[in-house]
Amino acid sequence: MVMNKNDLRIVFMGTPEFAVETLQALVENHYNVVAVVTQPDKPVGRHGSVLQPSQVKQYALEHGLPVLQPEKMKDPAFVEQLRSYEANLQVVVAFRMLPEVVWAMPAYGTFNVHAALLPQYRGAAPINWAVINGETQTGVTTFFLDHDIDTGRIIMKKPFDIPDDADVEYVYDGLMHLGAEICIETLEAIVAADGHPHTEEQEDSSLPSYLTPLTSLKTAPKIFKETCEIDWSKSAKQVYDFVRGLSPVPGAWTTLASPDGKETVLKIYKTHKTGKQGRGEGSISIEGKSLCISAKDELLELVELQLAGKKRMMARDFLNGMKDIEQYHVKKSSPAI
């Protein structure tokens, strides 16, 4: 018997806006989404008294889809509830790590849409790290989940070019749309292959380099506040990529110290490579009407920034209120990377 799309009973798992685009594609392409699994509502507000549903939950409820929000994925009650939907396929986008009892449940398995070209950039923040590392191309990958994170059999890949002036927001938006496309194409391949599409094993990063052509696998660990501190001892190109790789969220930052020793955090959202020789790592100067900080090899012009407690602004507006900025200095950092 030849399989068709109506034979699929899909459980979708995801939480942020990035995942909504794919869920929407499933609904609009008339796939049978029998349930949606997302994170529990998040406390927000001054006292955490208001519960904010995830963007995936909001979309699901608007379209009459059942929503499950387990605190723990191994909770027996949740596992039984999930099993009751009799899904034969699960689709995961920007969610959490799943236990085997969950990912192995459907007959056709569970596949993930990952925002990188695996096996490169396995981990929680692949979009940020691709830009931080100055990559000119990234993409999306669909793969079947297995025991280890982001190591399962690859179903499809689609590349995405990263312009030199692109920030994370640009790449995020591009991969969000591309992720929805590859999900639909992956489902079509699953249907065409009666539930068992052609897949390829990923290169095993545990093998010695002489046994694999991939001698260097880059990872994408979760980003914390400490990760976002700028190291001005790096090259201007590295700092430039670092800033755009964290812009607009969570934002790269540095610490300014005033002449009297007071410190304040400065977030930097956009810089411009000047090609001019630096004046000492972390030194602040005004070049014409531009605010600059020296990296290891050359000056970087600050274009958009935000002083702690203030609004995001253009650097030229910042200078209007900080006439003595050249008397400040950048506090030496000990960044996480």
Side-chain angles (χ1 to χ4, degrees):
M1 185 176 181
V2 178
M3 186 179 189
N4 64 62
K5 67 189 294 183
N6 297 324
D7 294 323
L8 292 178
R9 291 178 58 82
I10 299 170
V11 166
F12 180 85
M13 300 184 182
T15 294
E17 175 194 24
F18 190 90
V20 174
E21 188 83 7
T22 301
L23 178 57
Q24 180 177 335
L26 293 177
V27 171
E28 292 181 352
N29 283 275
H30 308 293
Y31 281 93
N32 183 19
V33 180
V34 296
V36 171
V37 182
T38 190
Q39 295 277 52
D41 294 358
K42 184 178 180 180
V44 295
R46 188 170 183 180
H47 303 291
S49 56
V50 178
L51 292 178
Q52 177 70 40
S54 72
Q55 288 162 300
V56 161
K57 179 181 178 179
Q58 293 177 53
Y59 181 88
L61 293 180
E62 289 169 2
H63 292 81
L65 302 174
V67 175
L68 309 181
Q69 296 178 275
E71 290 283 350
K72 297 180 179 179
M73 299 300 290
K74 291 183 179 180
D75 181 356
F78 163 69
V79 172
E80 286 308 307
Q81 187 180 18
L82 183 63
R83 187 173 283 116
S84 72
Y85 285 97
E86 299 181 341
N88 51 21
L89 181 69
Q90 291 175 158
V91 177
V92 181
V93 184
F95 197 49
R96 58 209 277 193
M97 187 174 178
L98 303 181
E100 183 174 1
V101 68
V102 171
W103 59 256
M105 187 182 295
Y108 300 132
T110 299
F111 77 80
N112 178 262
V113 178
H114 186 73
L117 297 175
L118 291 173
Q120 296 291 359
Y121 295 105
R122 294 169 175 159
I127 304 176
N128 298 93
W129 286 106
V131 181
I132 287 171
N133 289 335
E135 303 289 0
T136 58
Q137 187 180 77
T138 184
V140 288
T141 304
T142 51
F143 68 97
F144 283 113
L145 296 190
D146 64 10
H147 293 90
D148 298 316
I149 297 176
D150 300 336
T151 60
R153 292 171 293 124
I154 291 174
I155 311 167
M156 285 186 182
K157 292 184 185 183
K158 291 177 79 74
F160 180 84
D161 291 335
I162 306 176
D164 182 63
D165 60 350
D167 60 15
V168 158
E169 187 171 43
Y170 172 90
V171 182
Y172 179 99
D173 289 346
L175 295 186
M176 182 171 65
H177 298 303
L178 199 62
E181 289 180 18
I182 198 172
C183 179
I184 298 302
E185 291 179 17
T186 298
L187 289 171
E188 291 171 350
I190 288 173
V191 170
D194 291 330
H196 303 285
H198 172 75
T199 59
E200 294 182 0
E201 296 290 339
Q202 292 191 41
E203 296 288 350
D204 188 348
S205 59
S206 66
L207 290 175
S209 60
Y210 62 82
L211 293 179
T212 173
L214 287 170
T215 58
S216 175
L217 291 185
K218 298 173 184 175
T219 58
K222 187 174 181 179
I223 288 175
F224 299 94
K225 180 182 177 181
E226 295 75 17
T227 316
C228 302
E229 185 177 8
I230 298 170
D231 182 357
W232 295 100
S233 69
K234 292 184 178 292
S235 71
K237 175 66 164 65
Q238 287 175 304
V239 177
Y240 171 80
D241 291 336
F242 186 78
V243 168
R244 65 193 185 98
L246 296 168
S247 180
V249 176
W253 60 272
T254 195
T255 302
L256 297 182
S258 66
D260 59 4
K262 292 182 180 178
E263 296 180 356
T264 185
V265 170
L266 182 72
K267 278 195 173 184
I268 301 174
Y269 296 99
K270 188 175 182 179
T271 64
H272 173 71
K273 292 172 286 184
T274 66
K276 298 178 181 178
Q277 187 172 354
R279 300 186 176 183
E281 296 167 9
S283 64
I284 300 171
S285 61
I286 298 176
E287 308 292 325
K289 295 182 179 180
S290 300
L291 173 61
C292 297
I293 298 182
S294 290
K296 180 180 180 180
D297 52 354
E298 68 179 66
L299 287 172
L300 271 181
E301 178 189 353
L302 307 192
V303 179
E304 291 183 49
L305 47 77
Q306 181 180 14
L307 201 60
K310 304 293 183 181
K311 294 181 178 180
R312 179 174 171 175
M313 65 182 73
M314 301 301 289
R316 59 177 177 270
D317 297 323
F318 172 82
L319 282 176
N320 290 334
M322 293 285 288
K323 301 295 185 183
D324 60 342
I325 188 63
E326 287 184 291
Q327 298 178 37
Y328 284 65
H329 69 272
V330 173
K331 184 180 177 183
K332 189 173 181 180
S333 60
S334 299
I337 66 167

